[in-house]
């Protein structure tokens, strides 16, 4: 009786284990990004805050009319973030070096190892070989974990929609442009050539080249080259990055590195726990009759045996 | 209810109403009372009126959430995607529901049969807690009708939430199976009872696995946001251990709290075995909880030492952190140590309540209060968000009470033979036993509470 129950217990434990089996983490190495991944180099020293990139994005992605027209500079009074109506925004930052205040364009940075992608339990996100992080709204459940997981606070959610709320974020104009090798709308329209589209690897070289040629113009750092495991969008700046609203405390590890500890533990629990606890059960009830039976039923069971 | 029992009403505790007649299903549903009696006692209970008011306000708001969308009810935003529903409902509810696997493990795996009287309460508490955590999740999800997607449509197996989804759903089925024993007894389906008994050990062991993983996984969810959760509440290596270990005292103390409330409000439903063992079992659970708390405190300190975060303790957040640790861990631990030694049950019950509140505070802190500590603006929940939380908790209490009134959780179901024996030997015993005033819980206020309970009538 006892042995049969034990075997059954093991079987069920095994079944439970196999249910959990697909959840074993993919081994996450240090992924450096696809070799042909495209990117954009944002030279914030060239940006004049004309907001034409915002307008181009609005038109390309067929977003709703903005609350404030795109030629209105009063929006710079406060710091804005990406929303369901604006996949990219430009902010102005005050510095105390007496020079003109820098502007910085903000949108999805298209990480090499995106936090949103790794946190999504229905695999709604894809990092394409062209470098874009795109989103499939047809499977999205709306758990909003990707918004928690994004270190740059980019994904927005259409909270106002009752029946089809979705994540809204920059997709690198993937479906209309990037797929065909064309630069995104914002890059194409930029009058200052503050945005440069190209292979990510080339852009990194170009960025370092600019820093080398005109060291007075830039700090010696390309934000996004290594941050959070590297991003497709890269930033050059005249002032330290944190002064233009870039988070410099994030470190160079992608989001998933923080989660690896837990994911690595999962198969251990799945395989060790059944044996461990069945073993403890056998030890704990060794000297008792039918320890796994309830008191009030032990006589019946005995009778049957 | 008590008044009715005193005036001769019989409670349902076996299949037989009298030696020659079985209870019908409707009679079981109405607790063995006639319909006018049942409605009468429900109307006399002032608590039911409070519930009615909460429902009158809350249920339209819940419906409104599904008609007008999330922005109508929450202040959840692009910066604070997880509002009160998840922080309070899901993250708070799940650790308090670990009682199912804890008591299951103690009784079935470790062979602690002395805890058996309260095992079923632990299992039920676990099941309901998880169920209502899922209810909160459904309210919060943007597209709740797609909840089964991670199971059938599209898989994201590298995501922690994928684990949570699978484990919580599997574990819910395991818990339904565990609790169904009481249900099968109640509706009279002995084959089901025997079938579940046979697989109890398997169910319990899979319960341990699934609980370890998803209690931990809920913590690991926050490791996706290393820069957003305040460093004192965050630890890349220990986050899942914090959540898992704190769920142990959380679940045990929740059972103590629920049994305390029940003993004040529905002691008529207790049988002699439960009455006699409640104090002893409470002490045992408190011992378990103390050990859990000690472990929890140790690893909390270890994680601070591990990442060398001592400096944060002097900041405002640090003091808030210390408040949380004092309320939820250090004060109850001290009180437990004193009260267990001196067998002071009221103090044990009070500290159990503290632990429960401490767990809520910890989860709220992690998910909402200190979340986005680098941003200047903090999220203040919308009043409708609070109203929905209160309503869902009220539904939880109503369902909990409905089940406790009926299923053999606080009492043992008498089989037909047992009933016949008792009836033949001493026809009055069973009835007398249940009508005895429940003064077993020897505290000075008990007599008063009993009088209250009498007027409240349930």
């Amino acid at each position: 009786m006892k042995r049969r129950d034990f075997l059954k217990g093991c079987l069920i434990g095994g079944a439970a284990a196999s249910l959990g089996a697909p959840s074993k983490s993919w081994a996450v190495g240090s992924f450096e990004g696809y070799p042909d991944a495209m990117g954009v180099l944002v030279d914030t020293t060239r940006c004049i805050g004309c907001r034409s990139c915002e307008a181009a994005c609005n038109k390309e992605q067929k977003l709703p009319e903005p609350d404030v027209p795109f030629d209105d500079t009063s929006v710079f009074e406060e710091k804005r973030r990406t929303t369901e109506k604006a996949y990219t925004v430009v902010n102005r930052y005050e510095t105390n070096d007496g020079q003109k205040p820098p502007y910085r364009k903000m949108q999805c940075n298209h990480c090499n190892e995106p936090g949103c992608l790794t946190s999504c339990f229905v695999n709604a996100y894809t990092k394409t070989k062209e470098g874009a992080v795109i989103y499939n709204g047809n499977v999205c459940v709306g758990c909003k974990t990707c918004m928690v997981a994004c270190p740059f606070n980019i994904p927005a959610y259409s909270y106002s929609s009752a029946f089809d709320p979705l994540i809204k974020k920059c997709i690198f104009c993937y479906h209309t442009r990037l797929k065909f090798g064309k630069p995104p709308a914002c890059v194409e329209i930029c009058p200052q050539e503050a945005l440069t589209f190209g292979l990510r690897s080339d852009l990194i070289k170009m960025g370092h080249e600019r820093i080398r040629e005109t060291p007075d113009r830039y700090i010696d750092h390309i934000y996004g080259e290594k941050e959070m495991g590297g991003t497709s969008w890269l930033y050059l700046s005249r002032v330290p990055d944190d002064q233009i609203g870039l988070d410099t405390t994030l470190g160079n590890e992608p989001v998933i590195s923080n989660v690896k500890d837990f994911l690595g533990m999962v198969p251990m629990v799945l395989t060790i726990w059944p044996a461990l606890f069945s073993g403890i059960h056998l030890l704990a009830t060794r000297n008792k009759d039918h320890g796994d039976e309830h008191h009030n039923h032990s006589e019946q069971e005995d009778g049957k045996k | 209810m008590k008044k009715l029992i005193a005036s001769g009403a019989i409670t349902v505790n076996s299949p037989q109403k009298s030696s020659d007649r079985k209870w019908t299903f409707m009679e079981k549903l109405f607790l063995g009372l006639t319909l006018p009696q049942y409605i009468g006692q429900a109307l006399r209970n002032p608590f039911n009126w409070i519930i009615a008011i909460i429902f009158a306000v809350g249920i339209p708001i819940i419906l409104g959430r599904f008609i007008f969308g999330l922005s109508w009810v929450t202040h959840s935003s692009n910066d604070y995607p997880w509002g009160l529903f998840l922080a309070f409902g899901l993250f708070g509810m799940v650790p308090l529901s670990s009682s199912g696997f804890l008591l299951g493990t103690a009784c079935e795996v470790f062979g602690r049969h002395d805890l058996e009287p309260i095992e079923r309460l632990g299992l039920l508490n676990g099941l309901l807690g998880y169920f209502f955590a899922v209810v909160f999740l459904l309210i919060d999800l943007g597209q709740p009708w797609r909840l089964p997607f991670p199971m059938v449509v599209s898989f994201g197996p590298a995501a922690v939430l994928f684990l949570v989804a699978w484990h919580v759903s599997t574990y819910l089925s395991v818990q339904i199976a565990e609790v169904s024993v009481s249900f099968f007894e109640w509706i009279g389906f002995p084959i089901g009872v025997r079938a579940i008994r046979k697989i109890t050990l398997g169910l319990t062991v899979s319960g341990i696995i699934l609980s370890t993983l998803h209690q931990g996984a809920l913590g690991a969810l926050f490791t996706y946001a290393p820069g957003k959760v305040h460093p004192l509440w965050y630890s890349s290596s220990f986050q899942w251990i914090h959540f898992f270990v704190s769920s142990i005292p959380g679940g045990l103390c929740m059972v103590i709290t629920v049994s305390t409330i029940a003993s004040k409000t529905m002691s008529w439903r207790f049988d002699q075995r439960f009455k006699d063992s409640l104090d002893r079992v409470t002490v045992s659970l408190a011992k378990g909880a103390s050990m859990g708390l000690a472990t929890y405190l140790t690893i909390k300190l270890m994680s601070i030492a591990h990442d060398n975060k001592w400096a944060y303790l002097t900041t405002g957040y640090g003091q808030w952190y210390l408040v949380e640790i004092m309320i939820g861990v250090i004060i109850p631990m001290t009180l437990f140590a004193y009260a267990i030694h001196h067998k002071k049950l009221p103090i044990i019950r009070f500290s159990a309540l503290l632990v429960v509140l401490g767990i809520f505070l910890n989860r709220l802190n992690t998910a909402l209060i200190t979340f986005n500590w680098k941003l200047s603006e903090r999220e203040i929940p919308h009043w409708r968000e609070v109203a929905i939380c209160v309503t869902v908790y009220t539904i939880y209490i109503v369902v909990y009470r409905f089940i406790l009134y009926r299923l053999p959780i606080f009492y043992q179901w008498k089989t037909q033979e047992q009933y016949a024996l008792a009836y033949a030997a001493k026809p009055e015993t069973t009835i007398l036993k249940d009508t005895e005033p429940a003064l077993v819980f020897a505290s000075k206020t008990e007599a008063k509470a009993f009088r209250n309970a009498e007027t409240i009538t349930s």
Side-chain angles (χ1 to χ4, degrees), chain A residues 16-280:
Chain A
S18 61
L19 269 180
S23 39
K24 263 184 269 178
S25 63
W26 307 131
V28 197
S30 49
F31 178 63
E32 306 259 309
Y34 291 108
D36 296 330
M38 307 303 283
V40 173
L41 181 67
V42 184
D43 192 332
T44 60
T45 63
R46 295 183 184 180
C47 180
I48 53 166
C50 67
R51 298 184 66 207
S52 47
C53 51
E54 289 186 35
C57 174
N58 179 282
K59 191 170 159 228
E60 177 77 21
Q61 296 299 329
K62 302 184 178 63
L63 297 175
E65 280 285 301
D67 302 331
V68 184
F70 286 114
D71 49 10
D72 188 338
T73 52
S74 67
V75 293
F76 293 129
E77 298 304 317
E78 53 186 68
K79 299 283 170 289
R80 297 174 299 153
R81 61 153 289 160
T82 53
T83 67
E84 56 174 301
K85 291 179 184 171
Y87 295 172
T88 182
V89 291
V90 178
N91 279 324
R92 183 172 66 198
Y93 296 88
E94 304 304 326
T95 51
N96 40 20
D97 57 1
Q99 299 196 39
K100 271 190 293 180
Y103 296 89
R104 179 176 66 89
K105 177 184 181 306
M106 170 203 280
Q107 73 298 306
C108 174
N109 286 329
H110 300 275
C111 308
N112 290 342
E113 281 191 73
C116 54
L117 185 151
T118 44
S119 75
C120 182
F121 73 153
V122 288
N123 222 5
Y125 288 93
T126 312
K127 173 85 177 169
T128 71
K129 64 181 191 334
E130 296 90 350
V133 178
I134 56 171
Y135 163 79
N136 173 8
N138 291 329
V139 295
C140 177
V141 180
C143 69
K144 307 186 276 293
T145 314
C146 48
M147 301 164 70
V148 168
C150 177
F152 305 109
N153 286 321
I154 292 300
Y157 199 65
S158 44
Y159 283 101
S160 51
S161 166
F163 302 107
D164 195 25
L166 293 170
I167 292 289
K168 305 279 183 178
K169 78 165 197 71
C170 160
I171 51 166
F172 219 143
C173 292
Y174 179 75
H175 302 291
T176 49
R177 292 165 160 271
L178 185 67
K179 204 159 62 174
F180 310 109
K182 284 159 62 181
C186 53
V187 174
E188 206 169 70
I189 204 145
C190 182
Q192 290 292 310
E193 291 184 8
L195 308 174
T196 315
F197 173 76
L199 277 176
R200 182 177 184 269
S201 46
D202 292 347
L203 293 175
I204 291 171
K205 282 183 207 130
M206 185 192 290
H208 284 298
E209 192 70 9
R210 283 191 203 169
I211 295 170
R212 195 181 59 76
E213 281 171 1
T214 46
D216 300 340
R217 200 180 163 98
Y218 303 102
I219 56 159
D220 187 12
H221 183 72
I222 303 176
Y223 189 92
E225 183 184 357
K226 298 208 173 70
E227 275 74 12
M228 298 312 284
T231 59
S232 276
W233 282 62
L234 307 155
Y235 299 86
L236 287 174
S237 171
R238 170 171 62 82
V239 293
D241 293 325
D242 52 351
Q243 292 185 21
I244 54 168
L246 291 165
D247 192 342
T248 50
T249 61
L250 293 175
N252 294 340
E253 289 292 324
V255 168
I256 192 69
S257 299
N258 296 286
V259 192
K260 273 186 205 163
D261 280 350
F262 173 72
L263 290 175
M265 183 277 303
V266 172
M268 297 295 160
V269 169
L270 283 173
T271 46
I272 296 172
W273 260 218
L276 183 67
F277 282 93
S278 304
I280 291 177

Side-chain angles (χ1 to χ4, degrees), chain B residues 2 263 267-268 270 275 434-441 446 450:
Chain B
K2 220 166 242 157
S263 72
S267 53
W268 61 271
F270 294 2
K275 282 177 190 167
D434 288 329
T435 51
E436 268 172 32
L439 288 166
V440 190
F441 315 101
E446 182 58 38
F450 172 60

Side-chain angles (χ1 to χ4, degrees), chain A residues 1 4-6 8-9 12-13 16 19-20 22-26 81-84 115 118-124 137-145 147-151 153 155-157 159-166 228 247 249-250 255-259 261-263 265-266 269-270 273-274 277-278 280-281 284-285 288 290-297 301 304, chain B residues 65-72 74 76-82 86 105 107-111 113 116 119 140-147 149-150 153-163 165-167 170 185 193-194 197-203 205-206 208-210 212-213 216-217 220-221 223-228 234 236-237 240 371-372 374-375 412 415 417:
Chain A
M1 192 64 213
R4 212 170 68 195
D5 277 356
F6 171 70
K8 263 182 219 155
I12 291 162
L19 269 180
S23 39
K24 263 184 269 178
S25 63
W26 307 131
R81 61 153 289 160
T82 53
T83 67
E84 56 174 301
T118 44
S119 75
C120 182
F121 73 153
V122 288
N123 222 5
N138 291 329
V139 295
C140 177
V141 180
C143 69
K144 307 186 276 293
T145 314
M147 301 164 70
V148 168
C150 177
N153 286 321
Y157 199 65
Y159 283 101
S160 51
S161 166
F163 302 107
D164 195 25
L166 293 170
M228 298 312 284
D247 192 342
T249 61
L250 293 175
V255 168
I256 192 69
S257 299
N258 296 286
V259 192
D261 280 350
F262 173 72
L263 290 175
M265 183 277 303
V266 172
V269 169
L270 283 173
W273 260 218
F277 282 93
S278 304
I280 291 177
H281 172 70
T285 55
K288 297 174 199 154
H290 303 286
D292 51 338
E293 299 298 338
H294 284 249
H295 282 329
N296 48 350
H297 271 249
E301 301 286 342
K304 259 185 250 159
Chain B
R65 174 256 170 272
F66 290 103
I67 298 167
F68 304 117
L70 273 169
S71 61
W72 189 68
T74 72
S76 292
S77 61
N78 294 331
D79 283 330
Y80 286 90
W82 289 344
L86 291 190
T105 311
C107 295
E108 309 296 340
V109 177
F110 295 163
H113 294 291
E116 242 167 48
E119 184 191 358
D140 188 73
L141 284 178
Q143 310 209 16
W145 49 90
R146 287 182 179 173
L147 187 61
F149 272 33
V153 177
S154 181
F155 306 108
V160 170
L161 203 62
F162 187 77
L163 284 167
W166 271 92
H167 290 164
T170 324
E185 283 181 352
V193 176
R194 280 201 294 276
R197 282 269 156 78
K198 288 219 171 83
I199 57 168
T200 301
L201 181 62
L203 286 176
V205 172
S206 45
I208 306 172
I209 302 168
L210 296 168
T212 314
L213 288 178
L221 272 182
T223 55
Y224 280 114
K228 297 182 185 175
Y234 174 84
S236 165
S237 337
W240 71 271
F371 192 76
N372 275 339
K374 287 179 194 164
L375 297 186
Q412 282 181 298
T415 58
E417 300 84 55

Side-chain angles (χ1 to χ4, degrees), chain B residues 212-244:
Chain B
T212 314
L213 288 178
H214 73 246
Q215 293 283 1
L218 285 181
L221 272 182
F222 289 98
T223 55
Y224 280 114
K228 297 182 185 175
V229 182
H230 189 277
L232 283 174
W233 281 270
Y234 174 84
S235 166
S236 165
S237 337
F238 295 101
Q239 194 79 5
W240 71 271
I241 308 182
H242 286 164
F243 270 56
F244 173 62

Side-chain angles (χ1 to χ4, degrees), chain B residues 9 26 29 34 60 145 175 237 329 363 374:
Chain B
M26 287 312 281
L29 212 55
T34 61
W145 49 90
Q175 287 196 310
S237 337
V329 186
R363 301 305 196 260
K374 287 179 194 164

Side-chain angles (χ1 to χ4, degrees), chain B residues 88-89 92-93 136 360 388-398:
Chain B
F88 187 62
M93 204 91 167
F136 272 114
F360 268 125
I388 288 183
C389 285
V390 171
T391 311
V392 175
Y393 266 97
T394 313
I395 301 176
Y396 166 75
I397 292 168
V398 169

